[in-house]
Amino acid sequence: MQIIESVSELLTYVENGKQKGLKSGLVPTMGALHEGHLSLVRQSVKDNDVTIVSLFVNPVQFNNPKDLETYPRQPEQDFKLLAREGVDVVFAPVESEIYPEGFDRNRKFNLGKVAEVMEGKHRPGHFQGVALVVNRLFQLCRPTRAYFGLKDFQQIAVIREMLRYEDLDVEIVPCPIVREESGLALSSRNMLLSPAQRREAAAIHAVLKESVDFAKSHSVEETRRFVVERLDAKDDFKVEYFEIVDGLTLLPVEEWTEAALIVGCITVYVGNVRLIDNIQYKQLKAN
Ligand code: AMP
């Protein structure tokens, strides 16, 4: 496994692969890797001739300086984990490689309405920052496929929207959410929770799962309130938003019959750690 820090070395590697006609997979991450990230990596290794994993804590997508400062970083451990997975290249650049002098960090992408709701509303500028870094990584790595976790459900919709307007031919591969045995969705931020908070945080998935049953005999709004009230009742919990949306447009639905794919997306503060998760109420059928 090669660890590449500079753009010029990466470009040489990528060009070489292209000339050999190799299919490549890219897994963009911010490091502090866990089994969720590794599931994306394994899928990419399976699907492609070569896999590039990027490790870069992208300052442009953080709207809260404190969050950026406390975001966990453990590159040496990440390298060890990735070396066992058959990864070909880890791209671990410093900020000036991703955003060199003169690079337009304020470039705005057309991300449509999917970027305006939920995370878009609560984290101003976040998705523009995500689009900026993912676009840059796509330009540099020119992957055949790129792997993203469904934990960040809205992020996948936003990246697809970004691709519609960019001259990039990348297949987006969404991957299932990986959870702890307790049900808590794996997240690099989980390590910022105290042991007690981490145990309590399992309630997020437990309540969401319960709400799928509840939904069978209740309206969308009753289901929404069920989740918010149950979680807000817990010490140290504050639901920032919980929205039940059409899985394609990400706009709130009022009736269960309104869309073929219906997803509940939640953000909860446990203490001062911001956790996100989601659950499907209704799934698209093959026919
Ligand atoms: P991050 O390092 O948090 O930016 O995440 C990098 C990628 O890993 C994103 O596509 C995330 O959606 C994905 N990811 C993070 N946590 C999980 C998880 N628990 N299950 C599946 N994918 C995940």
Side-chain angles (χ1 to χ4, degrees):
M1 185 178 84
Q2 282 184 63
I3 298 172
I4 295 183
E5 293 177 353
S6 77
V7 162
S8 63
E9 204 183 327
L10 178 71
L11 291 176
T12 306
Y13 176 87
V14 168
E15 184 53 32
N16 238 309
K18 288 280 167 204
Q19 289 194 359
K20 291 185 190 141
L22 300 179
K23 304 265 186 236
S24 63
L26 171 68
V27 184
T29 82
M30 298 203 297
L33 301 180
H34 51 63
E35 281 293 315
H37 298 112
L38 296 181
S39 72
L40 274 51
V41 170
R42 287 175 197 137
Q43 190 61 47
S44 174
V45 170
K46 209 191 282 176
D47 294 347
N48 301 286
D49 301 314
V50 296
T51 289
I52 303 176
V53 178
S54 62
L55 298 185
F56 179 62
V57 182
N58 175 32
V60 183
Q61 74 187 65
F62 283 79
N63 52 317
N64 174 349
K66 182 89 184 134
D67 189 22
L68 174 60
E69 197 185 303
T70 56
Y71 199 85
R73 291 164 172 86
Q74 43 187 49
E76 294 306 323
Q77 188 181 324
D78 291 344
F79 298 151
K80 271 192 210 142
L81 287 172
L82 293 172
R84 294 188 207 135
E85 300 293 341
V87 167
D88 299 273
V89 166
V90 181
F91 178 48
V94 292
E95 193 178 332
S96 58
E97 290 289 314
I98 293 288
Y99 304 125
E101 226 179 276
F103 186 92
D104 180 10
R105 281 167 172 256
N106 295 315
R107 173 169 177 206
K108 293 290 174 269
F109 292 82
N110 188 347
L111 303 177
K113 288 216 170 1
V114 293
E116 287 168 18
V117 294
M118 300 192 285
E119 290 294 282
K121 208 166 10 168
H122 288 90
R123 300 185 71 184
H126 168 65
F127 282 132
Q128 286 295 340
V130 170
L132 188 72
V133 77
V134 170
N135 183 67
R136 174 91 168 123
L137 289 169
F138 283 5
Q139 301 278 0
L140 296 174
C141 300
R142 293 186 278 153
T144 315
R145 304 184 181 89
Y147 295 77
F148 294 92
L150 283 162
K151 181 166 92 76
D152 299 279
F153 187 79
Q154 189 176 4
Q155 174 169 274
I156 294 180
V158 169
I159 288 165
R160 287 193 196 283
E161 197 68 21
M162 182 268 281
L163 280 180
R164 271 162 49 124
Y165 301 100
E166 296 297 310
D167 198 15
L168 289 164
D169 181 19
V170 180
E171 181 189 337
I172 302 299
V173 184
C175 300
I177 304 176
V178 178
R179 301 181 179 280
E180 290 183 356
E181 219 170 295
S182 71
L184 175 63
L186 295 185
S187 163
S188 308
R189 289 191 171 89
N190 291 353
M191 62 180 83
L192 304 173
L193 297 166
S194 72
Q197 286 174 328
R198 193 160 178 156
R199 277 194 302 279
E200 287 293 306
I204 300 168
H205 180 59
V207 170
L208 287 176
K209 245 179 30 189
E210 249 182 272
S211 78
V212 173
D213 262 347
F214 184 89
K216 290 178 186 147
S217 52
H218 293 84
S219 70
V220 171
E221 182 51 22
E222 284 163 347
T223 306
R224 209 191 62 73
R225 281 209 305 266
F226 172 88
V227 168
V228 174
E229 282 167 16
R230 294 223 156 185
L231 289 174
D232 271 346
K234 297 188 98 32
D235 269 1
D236 239 14
F237 277 49
K238 181 71 199 128
V239 174
E240 187 174 58
Y241 66 82
F242 175 55
E243 292 195 18
I244 298 178
V245 301
D246 178 326
L248 297 180
T249 64
L250 304 193
L251 295 174
V253 294
E254 286 174 10
E255 306 290 340
W256 295 117
T257 49
E258 228 171 273
L261 174 65
I262 296 186
V263 182
C265 298
I266 194 160
T267 292
V268 188
Y269 277 93
V270 176
N272 47 25
V273 183
R274 189 175 188 275
L275 300 176
I276 75 171
D277 204 344
N278 62 76
I279 197 139
Q280 285 196 3
Y281 290 100
K282 202 171 148 187
Q283 299 179 33
L284 283 169
K285 300 264 164 27
N287 283 306

